[in-house]
Amino acid sequence: MIAQPQRTGVTVGYQGVPGSFSSQAMHQWFGQVESRNYPKFEDVFLALQNGAIDYGVVPMENSSTGAINDNYDLINKYHFFIVGEQSIYIAQNLLGVKGAKLNDIKEVYSHPQGLLQTSQFLAAHQIQGKECLNTALAAKMATERQDPAIGAIASTEAAKLYDLDVLAPSIENDKSNHTRFIIFGRAPEVLPDADRISLIFTLKNEVGTLYEVMRVIKEHAINMVRIESRPLLGNPWEYYFYVDLDGNLADPRIAEALAELKNYTTSLRLLGNYHRQEN
């Protein structure tokens, strides 16, 4: 069942346009690779399902604005496997057309996350935020409009690609602003240095089952990095849980804990055991 990764000669999909943070995360993980970009997150999952790409890259969480819930739901819906994680520093920049000045900007386009991550700067300068599908697309739109009153919040790479000036660098609220991206594929892949395990489970409808899950993890001395609860589609007021653990499946403690967790869950799915990287 476990495959060894073969990442040369593959095609990778991401949401957005060239210059987006997703494309940066893709290149940091894969290096120079053939890629395809898509308008929406779900388009990436559909492309993998249809065989148009070999891997997908999507953001899962930002350190200042939290989980990107759509992608938790999509990784659960499509039953793919996480084969890697890439965390990158997100420096948000105010971009404008050539010759524009900061005081000229009245509106900026960006992904909703980009607007949230720069809300303090926008409020201080009385700039109105307008949502679009991603930050690099915002830069492309600003170039097409050629209006000094319209800017974009995006990366310096997007500024270079779309011939825009950086009017104000690093305007994010949190200077430790990072986004965690997952790399996912059709089959699980485990390397000897894999150090992160992701699970999705649903609980038995009994008193204390979530407590029992936490107890099992604690008693096996496993570090739980993250837990997210999401509504279970088609089952009102029921939830599934996404959990990240530190560890490797070769560790007997992990195998024992996973076996014990089955006593308290109605479903338990291993999403992957993979290596995490940071910029």
Side-chain angles (χ1 to χ4, degrees):
M1 179 178 176
I2 302 300
Q4 291 299 320
Q6 300 293 326
R7 297 192 179 117
T8 57
V10 298
T11 302
V12 184
Y14 65 94
Q15 185 269 340
V17 296
S20 65
F21 292 113
S22 291
S23 70
Q24 291 182 39
M26 175 191 69
H27 287 304
Q28 287 191 31
W29 182 267
F30 289 95
Q32 293 305 310
V33 68
E34 182 179 349
S35 64
R36 295 183 181 177
N37 57 300
Y38 298 92
K40 298 178 181 179
F41 290 134
E42 189 161 15
D43 294 337
V44 182
F45 288 82
L46 288 168
L48 183 61
Q49 183 181 66
N50 297 333
I53 59 176
D54 301 297
Y55 295 97
V57 178
V58 294
M60 291 292 276
E61 183 179 33
N62 177 265
S63 60
S64 60
T65 57
I68 300 168
N69 291 325
D70 287 352
N71 289 329
Y72 282 95
D73 292 340
L74 289 168
I75 196 72
N76 183 41
K77 175 181 177 180
Y78 284 93
H79 286 238
F80 293 134
F81 295 91
I82 301 174
V83 301
E85 176 185 309
Q86 179 70 57
S87 176
I88 66 171
Y89 174 65
I90 304 295
Q92 300 283 13
N93 307 275
L94 177 62
L95 311 182
V97 297
K98 295 295 182 183
K101 301 291 188 288
L102 172 57
N103 291 338
D104 296 329
I105 301 297
K106 305 304 179 187
E107 293 182 352
V108 292
Y109 287 86
S110 193
H111 186 274
Q113 289 281 323
L115 297 175
L116 281 172
Q117 292 164 24
T118 58
S119 59
Q120 294 172 13
F121 179 92
L122 298 181
H125 292 83
Q126 297 182 322
I127 298 173
Q128 184 177 8
K130 300 283 189 177
E131 294 185 1
C132 66
L133 286 175
N134 62 77
T135 55
L137 181 60
K140 185 173 183 287
M141 289 171 60
T143 297
E144 291 170 348
R145 296 285 294 273
Q146 284 298 303
D147 184 342
I150 294 176
I153 296 171
S155 66
T156 54
E157 182 176 336
K160 294 174 185 175
L161 277 171
Y162 299 107
D163 197 30
L164 297 171
D165 285 342
V166 178
L167 305 183
S170 297
I171 62 171
E172 62 276 5
N173 301 339
D174 181 0
K175 298 306 178 184
S176 63
N177 190 28
H178 280 72
T179 294
R180 182 177 71 95
F181 295 80
I182 58 166
I183 294 85
F184 59 96
R186 297 183 195 88
E189 300 175 359
V190 179
L191 293 176
D193 65 346
D195 52 8
R196 172 78 30 107
I197 297 168
S198 294
L199 308 170
I200 283 178
F201 62 85
T202 54
L203 293 169
K204 290 184 176 179
N205 189 19
E206 299 172 4
V207 173
T209 49
L210 182 57
Y211 165 81
E212 293 295 345
V213 167
M214 300 298 101
R215 177 190 60 77
V216 169
I217 292 170
K218 178 180 182 297
E219 290 184 355
H220 286 83
I222 300 167
N223 183 39
M224 185 174 67
V225 182
R226 180 177 296 102
I227 182 168
E228 298 281 347
S229 65
R230 295 291 303 146
L232 193 60
L233 188 64
N235 298 77
W237 315 120
E238 294 185 28
Y239 300 85
Y240 73 86
F241 293 84
Y242 175 105
V243 169
D244 283 341
L245 307 171
D246 282 339
N248 188 289
L249 292 174
D251 185 339
R253 293 177 304 131
I254 300 293
E256 292 169 5
L258 293 180
E260 191 173 343
L261 288 178
K262 292 178 181 178
N263 296 325
Y264 308 105
T265 57
T266 53
S267 66
L268 177 65
R269 183 160 64 92
L270 178 67
L271 290 177
N273 186 195
Y274 50 92
H275 180 60
R276 51 194 172 91
Q277 294 181 178
E278 294 192 7
N279 184 11

